[in-house]
Amino acid sequence: MSSPRSNKPKVVNGPGGYILQDVPHLIDYLPDLPTYPNPLQDNPAYSVVKQYFVDADDSVPEKIVVHKDGPRGIHFRRAGPRQKVYFESDEVHACIVTCGGLCPGLNTVIREIVSSLSYMYGVKRILGIDGGYRGFYAKNTIPLNSKVVNDIHKRGGTILGTSRGGHDTTKIVDSIQDRGINQVYIIGGDGTQRGASVLFEEIRRRGLKVAVVGIPKTIDNDIPVIDKSFGFDTAVEEAQRAINAAHVESESNENGIGFVKLMGRYSGFIAMYATLASRDVDCCLIPESPFYLEGEGGLFEFIEKRLKEHGHMVIVLAEGAGQDLMSKSMESTTLKDASGNKLLKDVGLWLSQSIKDHFNKIKMVMNLKYIDPTYMIRAVPSNASDNVYCTLLAQSAVHGAMAGYTGYTSGLVNGRQTYIPYYRITEKQNNVVITDRMWARLLSSTNQPSFLGPKDIAEEKKEMPETPLLDGDGAADIPPVTKEITK
């Protein structure tokens, strides 16, 4: 059974302000587990690798921009194969589940988990859980092998099916225990990873030898700590098609406006990067940057000005932007989906109609074409860049599970694959910082106003941490298990 402090974060403190936010390990609560030589040392694919295994003390810094006299800051355990493993190949019974909305790259991650387990570690028993979390107790499983997954990366969606909600901790862990599963790979967003953390705690409470591994998935790129989420590059690339179409439409009509709504419930990363990549966008609206419609400096005034100057314009809107403006003129809703996300009204339709009404009111000719490519973008296969990234995430997840690590998410931090504890992934959402250089680059590219007054900018800066190196200690509310290391 687990020790009294086993549910506390593992933190290692070292010289020079070094902090390692470590991930749990099976031996934390099963101290007598045997180890085995890693079969990779006999794998022909690894025979050319100069150093097979990651050093036990390797770690990756969360912040790479430091001050010469500042502390070394927070680090995460580096991902990769270890010299000793805690599972024999014949002993492993793995399962994979996909949860939440669709995202480019899901099938690639599934394929690479199966391939890594099969080709690297000789695992024969791998199951796919059908239809998200509820598939553990309400649906049949899907046997997976290299032949089944061979071509799935060429397809969008997920061959396992997905759903929101359905998380019943007791039923899911009972199913894992009854089926003899000992490695669980969970692909999903922050809500899914929060559910994975609860499963891990229950598995640890029962003292089961089961590794629980998360692979972060969010097309909005709103998961913190990691450099980006898989599928994001594909989404930005695919959004270009809609923006290009909007640009053609706007140029072909008198005072034409091409209006594109993209994903971005709480974070405007897709809209921001698609705008920067396109160079045809005149105005980008995201949830993090408030704007107003009427009066001096408002959106309507800017649209009028741009149409008079150029005769056409393109507007890109993230789905979560302007929700406050819409709720003032329409009945607001507090309904949520099965994942706990607030159900948003279609701000794109509302804002495009508001623009039309304004131009009718001032009797100015205007032709607006509204494009919503949301579900087309979510459903495409991942591009080359995301396929490579999915491979790295999946292989790193498998290496970690075989090495006995559990209760973690596999993620890219500063270009290096790492193992990140669940509490860091679920503590907050990743948002565009509108006082950051990247947003300034966008404003200089579109030449749009910020729609912010001096008071708004001052408040934004006040909310930012003074020393970025020191932020991110999200476990402050839970006393950590700490130990000192000395040189």
Side-chain angles (χ1 to χ4, degrees):
M1 295 294 289
S2 57
S3 67
R5 288 181 59 82
S6 64
N7 63 334
K8 311 300 183 186
K10 291 171 66 178
V11 178
V12 178
N13 294 312
Y18 173 90
I19 301 170
L20 173 65
Q21 291 188 341
D22 206 355
V23 297
H25 196 280
L26 291 172
I27 60 172
D28 294 343
Y29 62 96
L30 298 170
D32 299 323
L33 287 180
T35 60
Y36 313 95
N38 193 321
L40 280 178
Q41 62 191 9
D42 302 317
N43 190 310
Y46 270 68
S47 62
V48 296
V49 179
K50 186 175 181 182
Q51 184 179 342
Y52 289 152
F53 306 116
V54 172
D55 190 281
D57 292 328
D58 281 359
S59 61
V60 177
E62 181 179 13
K63 306 289 184 184
I64 55 172
V65 178
V66 298
H67 304 293
K68 64 175 184 176
D69 299 322
R72 293 170 64 191
I74 293 170
H75 289 63
F76 300 109
R77 189 168 289 280
R78 184 185 175 193
R82 267 53 180 181
Q83 195 160 4
K84 298 289 184 182
V85 296
Y86 285 77
F87 293 92
E88 289 187 288
S89 301
D90 293 339
E91 169 195 4
V92 175
H93 190 192
C95 75
I96 306 169
V97 62
T98 53
C99 305
L102 294 184
C103 176
L106 280 168
N107 279 334
T108 307
V109 174
I110 295 167
R111 181 188 190 278
E112 294 309 318
I113 292 175
V114 173
S115 297
S116 299
L117 285 167
S118 302
Y119 296 145
M120 291 184 177
Y121 290 99
V123 174
K124 298 288 190 285
R125 295 184 298 163
I126 309 169
L127 292 177
I129 303 300
D130 185 7
Y133 276 134
R134 61 172 50 88
F136 276 100
Y137 55 85
K139 292 194 177 185
N140 294 326
T141 57
I142 303 168
L144 298 176
N145 56 47
S146 301
K147 186 176 180 180
V148 171
V149 302
N150 186 52
D151 291 323
I152 64 172
H153 61 292
K154 298 173 184 176
R155 293 184 243 159
T158 164
I159 63 161
L160 301 181
T162 186
S163 65
R164 297 186 184 276
H167 190 283
D168 186 312
T169 305
T170 302
K171 286 184 178 179
I172 293 172
V173 178
D174 284 347
S175 173
I176 290 169
Q177 195 167 1
D178 292 345
R179 296 176 192 272
I181 292 168
N182 51 24
Q183 289 186 10
V184 183
Y185 297 92
I186 301 173
I187 310 167
D190 55 348
T192 300
Q193 300 305 317
R194 203 171 286 115
S197 178
V198 175
L199 294 181
F200 159 68
E201 294 295 346
E202 175 61 16
I203 285 168
R204 179 161 58 178
R205 188 189 69 78
R206 297 190 190 186
L208 305 177
K209 185 187 176 183
V210 178
V212 181
V213 182
I215 296 172
K217 175 230 63 166
T218 165
I219 201 167
D220 292 349
N221 201 41
D222 59 0
I223 289 180
V225 181
I226 61 175
D227 293 354
K228 63 178 179 180
S229 51
F230 74 83
F232 177 71
D233 282 354
T234 306
V236 171
E237 184 177 305
E238 198 66 19
Q240 301 304 298
R241 298 176 187 270
I243 294 173
N244 290 340
H247 186 239
V248 170
E249 287 284 354
S250 68
E251 278 192 319
S252 303
N253 290 278
E254 181 184 0
N255 285 340
I257 297 177
F259 194 114
V260 180
K261 187 187 82 171
L262 297 175
M263 292 83 72
R265 182 181 294 273
Y266 303 113
S267 302
F269 286 103
I270 292 178
M272 180 173 75
Y273 277 85
T275 295
L276 281 167
S278 168
R279 303 292 175 178
D280 286 331
V281 179
D282 298 276
C283 184
C284 178
L285 304 171
I286 62 173
E288 296 89 337
S289 182
F291 62 94
Y292 53 98
L293 301 181
E294 311 215 20
E296 185 178 351
L299 179 62
F300 290 159
E301 182 186 77
F302 173 66
I303 294 173
E304 288 179 40
K305 180 178 176 225
R306 187 54 59 95
L307 289 179
K308 287 173 182 175
E309 288 174 351
H310 301 292
H312 61 86
M313 73 179 297
V314 175
I315 300 172
V316 169
L317 171 80
E319 63 180 321
Q323 290 286 330
D324 56 330
L325 298 175
M326 186 169 57
S327 62
K328 290 175 184 176
S329 62
M330 299 173 64
E331 185 180 345
S332 62
T333 178
T334 56
L335 297 176
K336 296 184 177 181
D337 64 20
S339 297
N341 299 312
K342 184 179 177 181
L343 289 173
L344 302 181
K345 292 190 175 179
D346 195 330
V347 70
L349 288 173
W350 173 81
L351 185 53
S352 60
Q353 187 59 52
S354 299
I355 293 170
K356 290 176 183 176
D357 291 343
H358 171 77
F359 278 88
N360 286 334
K361 184 178 175 183
I362 65 173
K363 293 182 170 51
M364 181 175 170
V365 175
M366 183 275 301
N367 291 283
L368 186 146
K369 308 298 182 186
Y370 176 62
I371 300 173
D372 181 357
T374 299
Y375 292 103
M376 293 173 64
I377 292 174
R378 285 164 30 124
V380 299
S382 50
N383 65 10
S385 170
D386 273 323
N387 272 338
V388 173
Y389 185 28
C390 290
T391 301
L392 298 178
L393 285 170
Q395 290 188 0
S396 297
V398 169
H399 290 318
M402 293 299 295
Y405 293 110
T406 181
Y408 69 89
T409 294
S410 172
L412 193 71
V413 177
N414 295 318
R416 295 284 183 177
Q417 292 294 326
T418 64
Y419 299 141
I420 306 165
Y422 279 136
Y423 66 84
R424 289 302 313 275
I425 293 294
T426 60
E427 66 186 357
K428 61 181 181 180
Q429 284 186 312
N430 189 31
N431 297 110
V432 174
V433 179
I434 61 172
T435 51
D436 186 53
R437 288 187 182 88
M438 189 58 80
W439 185 244
R441 292 180 183 118
L442 179 139
L443 296 179
S444 65
S445 171
T446 61
N447 200 26
Q448 71 185 68
S450 68
F451 301 112
L452 287 176
K455 182 181 176 184
D456 298 314
I457 295 172
E459 287 179 1
E460 282 288 335
K461 288 186 175 178
K462 198 186 301 179
E463 290 176 9
M464 291 181 68
E466 289 184 18
T467 309
L469 182 67
L470 299 179
D471 80 354
D473 52 347
D477 56 335
I478 311 175
V481 176
T482 61
K483 61 181 179 180
E484 301 286 337
I485 58 173
T486 55
K487 296 282 185 178

